Amino acid sequence: MSPTPWWNPARHADRRPALLARARLQAALRGWFAGQDFLEVDPVALQVSPGNEAHLHAFATEAIGNDGQPVQMYLHTSPEFAMKKLLSAGEERIFAFAHVWRNRERGALHSPEFTMLEWYRVGQDYTVLMEDCAAMLRLAAEAAGVTTLQYRGITCDPFAAPERLSVAEAFGRFAGIDLLATCDGAETDAAALRAQARAAGIKVRDDDTWSFLLSKILVEKVEPHLGHGRATILDRYPTAEAALARRCADDARVAERFEIYACGVELANGFGELTDPAEQRRRFEAEMDEKQGIYGERYPLDEDFLAALAFMPAASGIALGFDRLVMLATHAPRIDDVIWTPVAGG
C-alpha cells in the first residue's frame, strides 16, 4: 500500500501542528536577528558554481541566453558564496533563510531541497556563533512548546549549556584514535588513519582517502554519542576538513570550524572565515581533485567569489539546517514531516 500523500486533508491535519511550530520558530528567529541588528538578505540560488566541497553533489542546469547559447549553471548547495560577496560589498551582519539543493541525499534527515539558515558577523570571533546556536535551541523549544529536543528516543535539554570538545578529543574518547597524529596542516596520512581505524574495528578499504576515513569514523563512532542530554559543540576540525575556515593561531593542524549536535543530529556548521584568495583557491582545487578522483566529476570555481575575498573583512559565519531544528523541537521522525510541501518521490 502506497503512503498517504502529504496533500491528503487527513494527512495534512496530522502534519499541521509541526508546520505551525515551524512558522512560529521562523518568526521568532527573524525577531531575534532583528534584535541583534541583522539584515535579512535573499541570495539567488542559480550560480556558476554550486560550492567546492568534494562530497557535496549539486543539481546542474543550463541557462539559455538571448543568443540561444546554453551556459552551465548550478543550484547552490549553500548561499555562502553570494553572502560573502555581500560582506565584501560592505554589509556587516546578514542572515538568510535560503532554499538549497543537494543531490544524492534522501532519507530521514535529508531532503534534496531544504531550508538553510545562514548568518554572518563581521569583526566577531567564531565562538560568538556558538552562543547564537545555544539561543536558537531555546527558541526552538519555546516555539514548539516543549522542554526537550528529541530524535529516535534520544533527548537533549535545549536550555542547558552545550558541551564543547575538539574533534581530536572526540576521536580519542569515542573511537580510540589519535587523529592529529595523521595530519599536519593540509597534509594527511591516509595509511596511518587507516591502520588506526582497523584497530578500532572499522571496516575500511585500502584505497579509502584520509577524508573519507575521517567521515566514516565520525559517522560510525563519534556522532552517535553527541548531543545526548545537552547539545555538543564539536570544535577545531583538522585544517584538511575546513576548506573555508581560518587556521587556529595556536595549532596549524586545526582550524576555526565547529559543528553543533543535538540528539546525535548535526544541526549547524560554523567557521572563522578564510579571506585569503590564494589559500582559498588552493583548498578548492584540492577538494575538486578529490571529487574527480572519487566521483569522476568536478565543479568550476567561482572566480568572482575568489576576487571578492580580497575585499572581505574578517568575519565568522554559520549554516544551520532549519528543517532539522524544527524536527527535533517537534519530535518528528522524518524531515519530510516538517517541510510544507515535501519533494516528490521520498
Side-chain angles (χ1 to χ4, degrees):
M1 179 181 295
S2 60
T4 304
W6 63 263
W7 44 262
N8 178 278
R11 178 76 181 102
H12 182 67
D14 291 339
R15 298 176 70 241
R16 196 165 186 268
L19 296 172
L20 293 179
R22 176 193 178 105
R24 290 194 299 271
L25 176 55
Q26 192 165 29
L29 287 169
R30 284 193 164 107
W32 184 88
F33 279 113
Q36 296 272 324
D37 295 323
F38 276 78
L39 175 67
E40 183 170 10
V41 299
D42 188 14
V44 296
L46 198 61
Q47 300 286 337
V48 298
S49 174
N52 297 108
E53 296 183 51
H55 304 293
L56 289 186
H57 305 281
F59 285 82
T61 187
E62 289 184 342
I64 309 298
N66 292 338
D67 59 1
Q69 297 302 307
V71 176
Q72 182 83 65
M73 300 286 282
Y74 299 88
L75 294 174
H76 62 191
T77 58
S78 162
E80 181 167 7
F81 292 178
M83 293 182 76
K84 286 183 176 178
K85 289 173 185 175
L86 285 172
L87 299 184
S88 299
E91 298 298 340
E92 295 189 347
R93 291 191 182 189
I94 55 175
F95 78 99
F97 284 98
H99 279 243
V100 299
W101 290 261
R102 295 185 179 182
N103 227 333
R104 304 194 191 194
E105 294 192 10
R106 196 76 198 250
L109 290 168
H110 296 88
S111 173
E113 179 181 354
F114 61 98
T115 301
M116 181 176 286
L117 170 58
E118 191 153 324
W119 68 100
Y120 292 86
R121 290 177 173 272
V122 165
Q124 292 191 277
D125 189 78
Y126 81 121
T127 56
V128 178
L129 303 175
M130 300 176 189
E131 299 171 10
D132 292 347
C133 288
M136 290 176 188
L137 295 182
R138 296 191 293 270
L139 283 175
E142 291 166 358
V146 299
T147 57
T148 61
L149 306 181
Q150 183 174 312
Y151 182 67
R152 292 186 174 178
I154 302 170
T155 60
C156 172
D157 182 353
F159 301 99
E163 168 192 32
R164 182 177 172 186
L165 71 160
S166 71
V167 175
E169 289 170 335
F171 270 57
R173 182 184 303 179
F174 301 120
I177 287 175
D178 184 352
L179 182 62
L180 295 186
T182 71
C183 59
D184 183 10
E187 300 300 319
T188 58
D189 187 340
L193 186 54
R194 189 179 303 117
Q196 289 198 61
R198 284 176 171 151
I202 301 169
K203 293 183 179 179
V204 298
R205 301 182 307 181
D206 289 340
D207 60 349
D208 285 340
T209 66
W210 184 90
S211 177
F212 181 87
L213 291 166
L214 181 141
S215 178
K216 184 177 178 67
I217 297 165
L218 183 66
V219 170
E220 292 186 11
K221 295 290 188 177
V222 178
E223 285 186 343
H225 300 281
L226 305 180
H228 291 227
R230 58 174 174 158
T232 300
I233 294 170
L234 192 62
D235 193 15
R236 292 167 67 94
Y237 266 74
T239 300
E241 286 296 302
L244 292 148
R246 291 189 298 257
R247 295 185 183 189
C248 291
D250 63 333
D251 189 342
R253 295 176 299 176
V254 292
E256 293 183 356
R257 175 190 173 190
F258 76 92
E259 293 183 322
I260 188 164
Y261 288 80
C263 309
V265 176
E266 178 204 338
L267 287 177
N269 189 13
F271 302 91
E273 302 293 350
L274 178 66
T275 56
D276 180 337
E279 175 65 11
Q280 187 65 86
R281 181 183 297 276
R282 186 195 66 75
R283 294 191 195 181
F284 279 167
E285 288 174 346
E287 288 281 323
M288 291 301 92
D289 287 345
E290 178 159 358
K291 188 176 192 70
Q292 183 71 48
I294 297 174
Y295 304 107
E297 64 174 339
R298 63 194 306 127
Y299 300 139
L301 305 188
D302 183 339
E303 295 294 343
D304 277 351
F305 168 68
L306 292 170
L309 279 185
F311 297 90
M312 183 176 153
S316 296
I318 187 167
L320 181 145
F322 178 65
D323 313 278
R324 287 187 179 184
L325 183 59
V326 177
M327 277 183 68
L328 300 190
T330 60
H331 304 173
R334 294 184 60 84
I335 194 169
D336 283 357
D337 294 333
V338 300
I339 293 176
W340 280 98
T341 61
V343 175

PDB file of all heavy atoms in Angstrom, residues 55 189-191 194-195 198 203-213 216 290 293-295:
ATOM      1  N   HIS A  55      32.492  16.159  -1.274  1.00  0.00           N
ATOM      2  CA  HIS A  55      31.422  15.184  -1.079  1.00  0.00           C
ATOM      3  C   HIS A  55      30.023  15.788  -1.129  1.00  0.00           C
ATOM      4  O   HIS A  55      29.048  15.130  -0.761  1.00  0.00           O
ATOM      5  CB  HIS A  55      31.639  14.442   0.243  1.00  0.00           C
ATOM      6  CG  HIS A  55      32.984  13.774   0.339  1.00  0.00           C
ATOM      7  ND1 HIS A  55      33.336  12.707  -0.463  1.00  0.00           N
ATOM      8  CD2 HIS A  55      34.067  14.049   1.105  1.00  0.00           C
ATOM      9  CE1 HIS A  55      34.580  12.336  -0.172  1.00  0.00           C
ATOM     10  NE2 HIS A  55      35.039  13.136   0.763  1.00  0.00           N
ATOM     11  N   ASP A 189      47.812  11.714   6.279  1.00  0.00           N
ATOM     12  CA  ASP A 189      48.399  10.382   6.136  1.00  0.00           C
ATOM     13  C   ASP A 189      47.283   9.352   6.195  1.00  0.00           C
ATOM     14  O   ASP A 189      46.871   8.923   7.275  1.00  0.00           O
ATOM     15  CB  ASP A 189      49.418  10.148   7.252  1.00  0.00           C
ATOM     16  CG  ASP A 189      50.204   8.856   7.076  1.00  0.00           C
ATOM     17  OD1 ASP A 189      49.743   7.965   6.345  1.00  0.00           O
ATOM     18  OD2 ASP A 189      51.277   8.731   7.706  1.00  0.00           O
ATOM     19  N   ALA A 190      46.777   8.967   5.016  1.00  0.00           N
ATOM     20  CA  ALA A 190      45.666   8.025   4.958  1.00  0.00           C
ATOM     21  C   ALA A 190      46.050   6.663   5.526  1.00  0.00           C
ATOM     22  O   ALA A 190      45.242   6.003   6.190  1.00  0.00           O
ATOM     23  CB  ALA A 190      45.174   7.885   3.521  1.00  0.00           C
ATOM     24  N   ALA A 191      47.287   6.221   5.265  1.00  0.00           N
ATOM     25  CA  ALA A 191      47.718   4.911   5.748  1.00  0.00           C
ATOM     26  C   ALA A 191      47.694   4.845   7.270  1.00  0.00           C
ATOM     27  O   ALA A 191      47.260   3.849   7.866  1.00  0.00           O
ATOM     28  CB  ALA A 191      49.108   4.590   5.217  1.00  0.00           C
ATOM     29  N   ARG A 194      44.082   4.803   8.397  1.00  0.00           N
ATOM     30  CA  ARG A 194      43.511   3.501   8.044  1.00  0.00           C
ATOM     31  C   ARG A 194      43.902   2.438   9.070  1.00  0.00           C
ATOM     32  O   ARG A 194      43.068   1.625   9.503  1.00  0.00           O
ATOM     33  CB  ARG A 194      43.979   3.096   6.642  1.00  0.00           C
ATOM     34  CG  ARG A 194      43.278   1.871   6.076  1.00  0.00           C
ATOM     35  CD  ARG A 194      43.791   1.552   4.675  1.00  0.00           C
ATOM     36  NE  ARG A 194      43.626   2.690   3.781  1.00  0.00           N
ATOM     37  CZ  ARG A 194      44.632   3.340   3.207  1.00  0.00           C
ATOM     38  NH1 ARG A 194      45.892   2.980   3.449  1.00  0.00           N
ATOM     39  NH2 ARG A 194      44.388   4.361   2.412  1.00  0.00           N
ATOM     40  N   ALA A 195      45.164   2.437   9.470  1.00  0.00           N
ATOM     41  CA  ALA A 195      45.637   1.454  10.447  1.00  0.00           C
ATOM     42  C   ALA A 195      44.919   1.623  11.778  1.00  0.00           C
ATOM     43  O   ALA A 195      44.508   0.635  12.415  1.00  0.00           O
ATOM     44  CB  ALA A 195      47.145   1.581  10.617  1.00  0.00           C
ATOM     45  N   ARG A 198      41.255   0.379  11.488  1.00  0.00           N
ATOM     46  CA  ARG A 198      41.144  -1.086  11.544  1.00  0.00           C
ATOM     47  C   ARG A 198      41.342  -1.594  12.962  1.00  0.00           C
ATOM     48  O   ARG A 198      40.651  -2.519  13.412  1.00  0.00           O
ATOM     49  CB  ARG A 198      42.152  -1.706  10.586  1.00  0.00           C
ATOM     50  CG  ARG A 198      41.721  -1.605   9.130  1.00  0.00           C
ATOM     51  CD  ARG A 198      42.756  -2.123   8.167  1.00  0.00           C
ATOM     52  NE  ARG A 198      42.215  -2.190   6.802  1.00  0.00           N
ATOM     53  CZ  ARG A 198      42.934  -2.072   5.706  1.00  0.00           C
ATOM     54  NH1 ARG A 198      44.257  -1.883   5.790  1.00  0.00           N
ATOM     55  NH2 ARG A 198      42.356  -2.143   4.515  1.00  0.00           N
ATOM     56  N   LYS A 203      35.600  -1.227   9.361  1.00  0.00           N
ATOM     57  CA  LYS A 203      35.921  -1.807   8.062  1.00  0.00           C
ATOM     58  C   LYS A 203      36.279  -0.697   7.073  1.00  0.00           C
ATOM     59  O   LYS A 203      35.476   0.209   6.837  1.00  0.00           O
ATOM     60  CB  LYS A 203      34.746  -2.629   7.535  1.00  0.00           C
ATOM     61  CG  LYS A 203      34.452  -3.878   8.351  1.00  0.00           C
ATOM     62  CD  LYS A 203      33.318  -4.676   7.738  1.00  0.00           C
ATOM     63  CE  LYS A 203      33.036  -5.944   8.535  1.00  0.00           C
ATOM     64  NZ  LYS A 203      31.920  -6.722   7.961  1.00  0.00           N
ATOM     65  N   VAL A 204      37.468  -0.767   6.528  1.00  0.00           N
ATOM     66  CA  VAL A 204      37.923   0.235   5.569  1.00  0.00           C
ATOM     67  C   VAL A 204      38.580  -0.468   4.393  1.00  0.00           C
ATOM     68  O   VAL A 204      38.955  -1.640   4.471  1.00  0.00           O
ATOM     69  CB  VAL A 204      38.923   1.228   6.217  1.00  0.00           C
ATOM     70  CG1 VAL A 204      38.261   1.989   7.350  1.00  0.00           C
ATOM     71  CG2 VAL A 204      40.153   0.501   6.727  1.00  0.00           C
ATOM     72  N   ARG A 205      38.736   0.288   3.297  1.00  0.00           N
ATOM     73  CA  ARG A 205      39.380  -0.249   2.099  1.00  0.00           C
ATOM     74  C   ARG A 205      40.748   0.377   1.923  1.00  0.00           C
ATOM     75  O   ARG A 205      40.999   1.486   2.393  1.00  0.00           O
ATOM     76  CB  ARG A 205      38.518   0.018   0.859  1.00  0.00           C
ATOM     77  CG  ARG A 205      37.125  -0.586   0.929  1.00  0.00           C
ATOM     78  CD  ARG A 205      36.346  -0.318  -0.339  1.00  0.00           C
ATOM     79  NE  ARG A 205      36.317   1.104  -0.684  1.00  0.00           N
ATOM     80  CZ  ARG A 205      35.693   1.605  -1.719  1.00  0.00           C
ATOM     81  NH1 ARG A 205      35.030   0.812  -2.552  1.00  0.00           N
ATOM     82  NH2 ARG A 205      35.719   2.903  -1.971  1.00  0.00           N
ATOM     83  N   ASP A 206      41.606  -0.321   1.202  1.00  0.00           N
ATOM     84  CA  ASP A 206      42.970   0.165   1.012  1.00  0.00           C
ATOM     85  C   ASP A 206      43.031   1.464   0.224  1.00  0.00           C
ATOM     86  O   ASP A 206      44.007   2.212   0.345  1.00  0.00           O
ATOM     87  CB  ASP A 206      43.820  -0.905   0.302  1.00  0.00           C
ATOM     88  CG  ASP A 206      44.119  -2.090   1.202  1.00  0.00           C
ATOM     89  OD1 ASP A 206      44.013  -1.931   2.436  1.00  0.00           O
ATOM     90  OD2 ASP A 206      44.439  -3.168   0.678  1.00  0.00           O
ATOM     91  N   ASP A 207      42.006   1.725  -0.594  1.00  0.00           N
ATOM     92  CA  ASP A 207      42.035   2.940  -1.410  1.00  0.00           C
ATOM     93  C   ASP A 207      41.200   4.075  -0.816  1.00  0.00           C
ATOM     94  O   ASP A 207      41.023   5.121  -1.446  1.00  0.00           O
ATOM     95  CB  ASP A 207      41.564   2.643  -2.838  1.00  0.00           C
ATOM     96  CG  ASP A 207      40.133   2.101  -2.893  1.00  0.00           C
ATOM     97  OD1 ASP A 207      39.582   1.752  -1.822  1.00  0.00           O
ATOM     98  OD2 ASP A 207      39.571   2.025  -3.999  1.00  0.00           O
ATOM     99  N   ASP A 208      40.683   3.919   0.401  1.00  0.00           N
ATOM    100  CA  ASP A 208      39.930   5.000   1.039  1.00  0.00           C
ATOM    101  C   ASP A 208      40.856   6.186   1.315  1.00  0.00           C
ATOM    102  O   ASP A 208      41.966   6.009   1.830  1.00  0.00           O
ATOM    103  CB  ASP A 208      39.322   4.529   2.366  1.00  0.00           C
ATOM    104  CG  ASP A 208      38.114   3.630   2.171  1.00  0.00           C
ATOM    105  OD1 ASP A 208      37.516   3.666   1.089  1.00  0.00           O
ATOM    106  OD2 ASP A 208      37.772   2.895   3.123  1.00  0.00           O
ATOM    107  N   THR A 209      40.400   7.376   0.984  1.00  0.00           N
ATOM    108  CA  THR A 209      41.185   8.575   1.250  1.00  0.00           C
ATOM    109  C   THR A 209      41.104   8.946   2.726  1.00  0.00           C
ATOM    110  O   THR A 209      40.206   8.497   3.461  1.00  0.00           O
ATOM    111  CB  THR A 209      40.683   9.767   0.416  1.00  0.00           C
ATOM    112  OG1 THR A 209      39.351  10.108   0.851  1.00  0.00           O
ATOM    113  CG2 THR A 209      40.666   9.428  -1.070  1.00  0.00           C
ATOM    114  N   TRP A 210      42.022   9.792   3.172  1.00  0.00           N
ATOM    115  CA  TRP A 210      42.011  10.262   4.554  1.00  0.00           C
ATOM    116  C   TRP A 210      40.686  10.949   4.871  1.00  0.00           C
ATOM    117  O   TRP A 210      40.092  10.716   5.930  1.00  0.00           O
ATOM    118  CB  TRP A 210      43.181  11.223   4.768  1.00  0.00           C
ATOM    119  CG  TRP A 210      43.350  11.703   6.183  1.00  0.00           C
ATOM    120  CD1 TRP A 210      44.098  11.135   7.167  1.00  0.00           C
ATOM    121  CD2 TRP A 210      42.736  12.866   6.756  1.00  0.00           C
ATOM    122  NE1 TRP A 210      44.002  11.868   8.334  1.00  0.00           N
ATOM    123  CE2 TRP A 210      43.166  12.944   8.100  1.00  0.00           C
ATOM    124  CE3 TRP A 210      41.881  13.847   6.275  1.00  0.00           C
ATOM    125  CZ2 TRP A 210      42.768  13.951   8.960  1.00  0.00           C
ATOM    126  CZ3 TRP A 210      41.472  14.868   7.137  1.00  0.00           C
ATOM    127  CH2 TRP A 210      41.914  14.909   8.457  1.00  0.00           C
ATOM    128  N   SER A 211      40.213  11.781   3.950  1.00  0.00           N
ATOM    129  CA  SER A 211      38.964  12.498   4.162  1.00  0.00           C
ATOM    130  C   SER A 211      37.793  11.535   4.304  1.00  0.00           C
ATOM    131  O   SER A 211      36.925  11.691   5.175  1.00  0.00           O
ATOM    132  CB  SER A 211      38.709  13.464   3.001  1.00  0.00           C
ATOM    133  OG  SER A 211      37.475  14.128   3.154  1.00  0.00           O
ATOM    134  N   PHE A 212      37.758  10.511   3.446  1.00  0.00           N
ATOM    135  CA  PHE A 212      36.676   9.527   3.516  1.00  0.00           C
ATOM    136  C   PHE A 212      36.738   8.770   4.835  1.00  0.00           C
ATOM    137  O   PHE A 212      35.714   8.516   5.479  1.00  0.00           O
ATOM    138  CB  PHE A 212      36.767   8.555   2.344  1.00  0.00           C
ATOM    139  CG  PHE A 212      35.677   7.526   2.324  1.00  0.00           C
ATOM    140  CD1 PHE A 212      34.469   7.789   1.715  1.00  0.00           C
ATOM    141  CD2 PHE A 212      35.852   6.273   2.932  1.00  0.00           C
ATOM    142  CE1 PHE A 212      33.449   6.847   1.704  1.00  0.00           C
ATOM    143  CE2 PHE A 212      34.841   5.332   2.927  1.00  0.00           C
ATOM    144  CZ  PHE A 212      33.644   5.621   2.315  1.00  0.00           C
ATOM    145  N   LEU A 213      37.947   8.403   5.258  1.00  0.00           N
ATOM    146  CA  LEU A 213      38.118   7.677   6.510  1.00  0.00           C
ATOM    147  C   LEU A 213      37.656   8.514   7.696  1.00  0.00           C
ATOM    148  O   LEU A 213      36.970   8.012   8.597  1.00  0.00           O
ATOM    149  CB  LEU A 213      39.588   7.287   6.691  1.00  0.00           C
ATOM    150  CG  LEU A 213      40.128   6.220   5.741  1.00  0.00           C
ATOM    151  CD1 LEU A 213      41.651   6.176   5.806  1.00  0.00           C
ATOM    152  CD2 LEU A 213      39.531   4.850   6.075  1.00  0.00           C
ATOM    153  N   LYS A 216      33.909   8.529   7.770  1.00  0.00           N
ATOM    154  CA  LYS A 216      33.361   7.228   8.162  1.00  0.00           C
ATOM    155  C   LYS A 216      33.473   7.016   9.668  1.00  0.00           C
ATOM    156  O   LYS A 216      32.527   6.564  10.326  1.00  0.00           O
ATOM    157  CB  LYS A 216      34.107   6.118   7.415  1.00  0.00           C
ATOM    158  CG  LYS A 216      33.575   4.705   7.656  1.00  0.00           C
ATOM    159  CD  LYS A 216      34.331   3.695   6.815  1.00  0.00           C
ATOM    160  CE  LYS A 216      33.854   2.271   7.058  1.00  0.00           C
ATOM    161  NZ  LYS A 216      32.466   2.064   6.579  1.00  0.00           N
ATOM    162  N   GLU A 290      40.005  15.790  -5.308  1.00  0.00           N
ATOM    163  CA  GLU A 290      39.489  14.613  -4.603  1.00  0.00           C
ATOM    164  C   GLU A 290      38.145  14.197  -5.172  1.00  0.00           C
ATOM    165  O   GLU A 290      37.875  13.003  -5.344  1.00  0.00           O
ATOM    166  CB  GLU A 290      39.354  14.907  -3.104  1.00  0.00           C
ATOM    167  CG  GLU A 290      38.784  13.732  -2.339  1.00  0.00           C
ATOM    168  CD  GLU A 290      39.082  13.768  -0.857  1.00  0.00           C
ATOM    169  OE1 GLU A 290      39.775  14.691  -0.396  1.00  0.00           O
ATOM    170  OE2 GLU A 290      38.619  12.849  -0.155  1.00  0.00           O
ATOM    171  N   GLY A 293      38.718  12.338  -8.343  1.00  0.00           N
ATOM    172  CA  GLY A 293      39.235  11.000  -8.105  1.00  0.00           C
ATOM    173  C   GLY A 293      38.187  10.025  -7.616  1.00  0.00           C
ATOM    174  O   GLY A 293      38.211   8.845  -7.985  1.00  0.00           O
ATOM    175  N   ILE A 294      37.244  10.496  -6.801  1.00  0.00           N
ATOM    176  CA  ILE A 294      36.242   9.598  -6.219  1.00  0.00           C
ATOM    177  C   ILE A 294      35.008   9.470  -7.103  1.00  0.00           C
ATOM    178  O   ILE A 294      34.518   8.360  -7.342  1.00  0.00           O
ATOM    179  CB  ILE A 294      35.821  10.100  -4.827  1.00  0.00           C
ATOM    180  CG1 ILE A 294      37.019  10.088  -3.873  1.00  0.00           C
ATOM    181  CG2 ILE A 294      34.695   9.242  -4.252  1.00  0.00           C
ATOM    182  CD1 ILE A 294      36.728  10.709  -2.519  1.00  0.00           C
ATOM    183  N   TYR A 295      34.507  10.611  -7.615  1.00  0.00           N
ATOM    184  CA  TYR A 295      33.219  10.620  -8.309  1.00  0.00           C
ATOM    185  C   TYR A 295      33.333  10.866  -9.814  1.00  0.00           C
ATOM    186  O   TYR A 295      32.327  10.799 -10.525  1.00  0.00           O
ATOM    187  CB  TYR A 295      32.294  11.676  -7.700  1.00  0.00           C
ATOM    188  CG  TYR A 295      32.086  11.507  -6.213  1.00  0.00           C
ATOM    189  CD1 TYR A 295      32.679  12.388  -5.299  1.00  0.00           C
ATOM    190  CD2 TYR A 295      31.308  10.465  -5.706  1.00  0.00           C
ATOM    191  CE1 TYR A 295      32.490  12.252  -3.929  1.00  0.00           C
ATOM    192  CE2 TYR A 295      31.119  10.315  -4.337  1.00  0.00           C
ATOM    193  CZ  TYR A 295      31.717  11.208  -3.459  1.00  0.00           C
ATOM    194  OH  TYR A 295      31.528  11.059  -2.101  1.00  0.00           O
TER     195      TYR A 295
END
